[in-house]
Amino acid sequence: MAECGRKALSLLEAARSRYESLQISDDVFGESGDDSSDNPFYSTSGDSDSDNYIAEVGEEEQHQHHHHHHHQKRAEKESGHSGGAGGGTGGGSAAGPPGSLSRSQAEEEGWTETLQDVTVPPYKETYGPAQKMLATATALDFFQLFVPDNCIQNMVTQTNMYAKKFQERFGSDDGWRPVTAQEMKAFLGFVTSTSVHRCESVLSIWSSGFFSNRSIALKMSQARFEKILKYFHIVAFRPSQGSNQGLYKIQPFLDSLQQSFSCTFRPSQTQVLHEPLIDEDPVFITTCTERELRKRKKRKFSLWVRQCTSTGFICQISVHLKEGTDGLAALKNKPQLHSLVAKQLCQNISGRNTIIFTGPSITSLSLFSEFSKQDIYCCGLLSTRKSDCTGLPQNMLVCGSTPAQRGQSRVMMKGTMSLISWYNKGHFRFLTNAYSPTKQGMIIKRKSGEIPCPLAVEAFAAHLSYICKYDDKYSKYFIFHKPNKTWQQVFWLSISIAINNAYILYKMSDAYTVKRYSRAQFGERLVRELLDLDDCSPTQ
């Protein structure tokens, strides 16, 4: 018995050491809540059943893999029947998904069951913050790495230009006077405060209700705030030409933000492409009536990110309108659209031996092959419903008639690309050239010990569960103010991402050893510094 325990322990240690970077930087999340256990693979809070983590990831569109509340119910539903999870049975047809190859075609194309070792060359980057911040650096200093004074000054200029243009067309507004840089900072501060205090409307700050905030309300009158809100602009005039017409009001800001993300931080070798969790607060959703929910308009854009899996730092964002004038909207074909988004997100990481993880909507043989020519290695979950399965052997995509054992896997290779079919209460398929199919990994679970799997599956589970943790914790701090205009929604969302990134840089700097602010305290400090309030002790 003791021997068995020791063996399990050494397996756990071995698996854990493979993800040291994930463990060390777990602290980056700030408040290590109940769910940060000593197991690097899974969040182990009472309501999250780590057994089904991979099942959850495979079961729905990738950006929904994050919400543990929905996970539990879905996972229970899924675990009852085997073929359904992780990409299904290909609709029960033995023919396999469109574009997939018959056995003889697959052999001609070079697919074989003979496995060979795959090694990814070493990563050509050092990782971490690109500049050293002083131990005295404030929350505002970190935020201004992304939204510097010249960026705020531009908002001032454009807002004043827009107000002038508006009044020339619709008559003068006696209550208006040009906005100043100090007021613009305060304006950003007021809206940002909704990320810490979760009030439905930013105007609640001046109310006498539950969400009123006397300490900051005195900094500006409600009437003045509403005037700035009415005229607030980043680009006042439509440019005569421009590729992304639909987002022209925010494009320059997104471009400068992108540049600052690249300049301030170098990500680790492993990164993930996904749609982060940006929907409404789940607690609010459950207390909402159907009618109220219908009133809340659906977002007209989707936002994809490339995110460092060791720290959660978002390295790049890609926004595209679901309808409208940007070129992507014309692509009705989902896989085609998603592979274009993936290429956009990875355009500046070629030649570095990065490993990217992808969900079913992005994973495809043609995209992964294209990436490998640029020294970008991939590991993606495949779904027979959501993925482009062109060029993949059918016999790996449909379930065999013999029932599979838990932890069993089959692999076929073409060159360095492996197609893995792994069974765990459902069939899961992975496509990868980043992990050797001959190397074994382990999914470690609290209840039923460990389940063997190829190393690629273990790596996918470890990195994706880390991003889930990030989403669960950090989506709490997204700005809650919900404007009607799409460009403004994108603006406040990207400001939220910038603040989360600023906090991650703060956690990795000397300033953190001095103050040790949690994410909530950091948010409050930032609001007070933007409002230039002298009493700058964090309020509990």
Side-chain angles (χ1 to χ4, degrees):
M1 187 70 192
E3 182 58 38
C4 191
R6 264 201 301 278
K7 183 172 176 244
L9 201 68
S10 65
L11 280 169
L12 178 60
E13 289 309 315
R16 216 179 250 164
S17 68
R18 286 198 278 268
Y19 299 100
E20 265 172 34
S21 66
L22 295 190
Q23 278 184 285
I24 293 164
S25 57
D26 199 41
D27 184 44
V28 169
F29 292 122
E31 317 78 72
S32 293
D34 305 336
D35 67 351
S36 70
S37 76
D38 56 358
N39 183 335
F41 293 103
Y42 300 106
S43 125
T44 50
S45 55
D47 65 355
S48 113
D49 180 356
S50 54
D51 268 24
N52 290 306
Y53 174 70
I54 287 207
E56 295 155 6
V57 175
E59 214 265 315
E60 286 221 350
E61 188 72 54
Q62 172 196 4
H63 70 278
Q64 288 174 318
H65 67 223
H66 309 292
H67 243 11
H68 290 312
H69 312 287
H70 312 311
H71 274 182
Q72 185 58 8
K73 293 187 183 62
R74 198 166 71 224
E76 282 162 8
K77 190 176 76 202
E78 283 308 314
S79 56
H81 58 90
S82 62
T89 57
S93 73
S100 58
L101 310 174
S102 68
R103 195 176 284 271
S104 57
Q105 286 170 322
E107 275 177 25
E108 277 171 35
E109 290 282 322
W111 285 98
T112 170
E113 289 180 1
T114 311
L115 305 186
Q116 56 171 22
D117 263 346
V118 172
T119 48
V120 172
Y123 190 46
K124 292 182 181 171
E125 290 278 318
T126 51
Y127 111 80
Q131 63 203 79
K132 194 163 170 59
M133 296 291 279
L134 298 172
T136 52
T138 63
L140 185 59
D141 292 333
F142 285 96
F143 175 66
Q144 293 217 279
L145 290 171
F146 307 115
V147 186
D149 280 333
N150 63 350
C151 189
I152 292 170
Q153 188 54 53
N154 177 62
M155 293 173 201
V156 170
T157 309
Q158 298 292 327
T159 299
N160 288 334
M161 276 163 60
Y162 180 78
K164 187 165 178 276
K165 178 178 83 164
F166 187 91
Q167 289 169 47
E168 281 165 5
R169 276 188 68 178
F170 302 108
S172 67
D173 179 346
D174 296 336
W176 173 254
R177 63 178 191 278
V179 66
T180 64
Q182 193 181 3
E183 283 181 311
M184 187 55 80
K185 266 190 188 169
F187 172 76
L188 293 174
F190 281 121
V191 182
T192 299
S193 73
T194 65
S195 66
V196 190
H197 296 292
R198 309 312 301 270
C199 49
E200 259 302 86
S201 161
V202 64
L203 300 178
S204 318
I205 291 168
W206 291 272
S207 73
S208 53
F210 179 71
F211 286 113
S212 69
N213 192 335
R214 283 275 160 269
S215 63
I216 65 174
L218 301 170
K219 200 67 193 175
M220 184 186 285
S221 72
Q222 180 176 344
R224 179 61 177 159
F225 175 84
E226 288 190 62
K227 280 279 182 260
I228 300 173
L229 188 62
K230 176 181 175 180
Y231 295 123
F232 175 67
H233 264 71
I234 290 164
V235 176
F237 301 105
R238 183 183 285 273
S240 49
Q241 82 290 337
S243 56
N244 209 344
Q245 286 294 307
L247 288 169
Y248 79 91
K249 285 196 167 183
I250 191 178
Q251 201 57 55
F253 176 75
L254 292 177
D255 294 343
S256 79
L257 201 60
Q258 189 48 66
Q259 190 154 7
S260 57
F261 285 172
S262 309
C263 296
T264 52
F265 182 80
R266 289 185 287 262
S268 65
Q269 180 172 25
T270 48
Q271 294 161 41
V272 66
L273 306 184
H274 70 122
E275 282 186 273
L277 186 73
I278 55 176
D279 295 323
E280 269 69 348
D281 176 28
V283 178
F284 175 75
I285 293 285
T286 53
T287 58
C288 219
T289 64
E290 278 296 307
R291 196 169 138 272
E292 282 173 311
L293 273 180
R294 275 202 302 277
K295 264 180 14 197
R296 296 174 85 79
K297 296 193 195 74
K298 263 188 119 45
R299 274 187 293 115
K300 290 185 181 155
F301 64 93
S302 60
L303 179 127
W304 290 77
V305 300
R306 176 166 56 81
Q307 192 168 13
C308 164
T309 63
S310 294
T311 57
F313 190 94
I314 288 178
C315 315
Q316 193 159 352
I317 54 183
S318 167
V319 181
H320 86 88
L321 299 176
K322 288 179 178 170
E323 64 234 20
T325 48
D326 66 349
L328 293 177
L331 290 172
K332 289 284 174 263
N333 172 350
K334 276 277 176 65
Q336 196 187 353
L337 166 72
H338 290 155
S339 81
L340 216 85
V341 167
K343 286 175 202 169
Q344 273 186 359
L345 287 172
C346 296
Q347 60 197 1
N348 57 3
I349 59 167
S350 56
R352 297 180 190 175
N353 306 326
T354 305
I355 296 173
I356 59 164
F357 294 94
T358 63
S361 60
I362 291 180
T363 304
S364 78
L365 181 62
S366 64
L367 180 70
F368 283 15
S369 306
E370 201 175 319
F371 274 159
S372 70
K373 292 181 186 127
Q374 303 167 34
D375 298 329
I376 298 169
Y377 296 84
C378 307
C379 178
L381 184 65
L382 259 179
S383 147
T384 48
R385 282 176 305 133
K386 295 202 172 85
S387 306
D388 173 4
C389 295
T390 307
L392 300 175
Q394 277 170 19
N395 66 325
M396 293 293 287
L397 302 174
V398 295
C399 304
S401 49
T402 50
Q405 294 287 307
R406 240 182 139 168
Q408 241 183 357
S409 58
R410 293 187 303 138
V411 186
M412 284 189 82
M413 285 191 86
K414 177 184 176 178
T416 55
M417 196 71 72
S418 308
L419 175 57
I420 298 165
S421 174
W422 176 72
Y423 184 82
N424 176 26
K425 294 187 181 176
H427 287 274
F428 297 95
R429 300 176 181 86
F430 295 85
L431 189 64
T432 184
N433 58 357
Y435 295 92
S436 183
T438 56
K439 292 204 170 69
Q440 278 300 299
M442 200 57 79
I443 298 285
I444 298 161
K445 298 201 301 296
R446 287 165 302 151
K447 293 177 191 154
S448 47
E450 55 276 340
I451 295 181
C453 64
L455 187 61
V457 178
E458 177 195 276
F460 188 92
H463 290 283
L464 267 282
S465 72
Y466 193 71
I467 293 301
C468 279
K469 265 189 188 176
Y470 173 95
D471 262 15
D472 279 353
K473 287 190 171 168
Y474 274 32
S475 59
K476 281 198 206 86
Y477 298 106
F478 274 16
I479 287 169
F480 223 52
H481 167 65
K482 297 274 188 294
N484 287 330
K485 293 191 170 68
T486 297
W487 75 263
Q488 292 184 0
Q489 292 169 9
V490 174
F491 174 74
W492 294 115
L493 190 55
S494 46
I495 287 280
S496 300
I497 288 173
I499 298 171
N500 281 340
N501 275 354
Y503 183 66
I504 288 169
L505 290 181
Y506 161 73
K507 292 287 303 249
M508 299 174 84
S509 76
D510 293 345
Y512 179 67
T513 55
V514 180
K515 294 275 197 250
R516 303 195 78 83
Y517 291 139
S518 68
R519 172 64 183 84
Q521 288 171 326
F522 184 84
E524 294 204 353
R525 295 281 322 129
L526 178 60
V527 169
R528 297 187 74 81
E529 288 166 21
L530 281 165
L531 289 161
D532 197 20
L533 291 166
D534 294 328
D535 153 37
C536 276
S537 58
T539 49
Q540 283 303 334

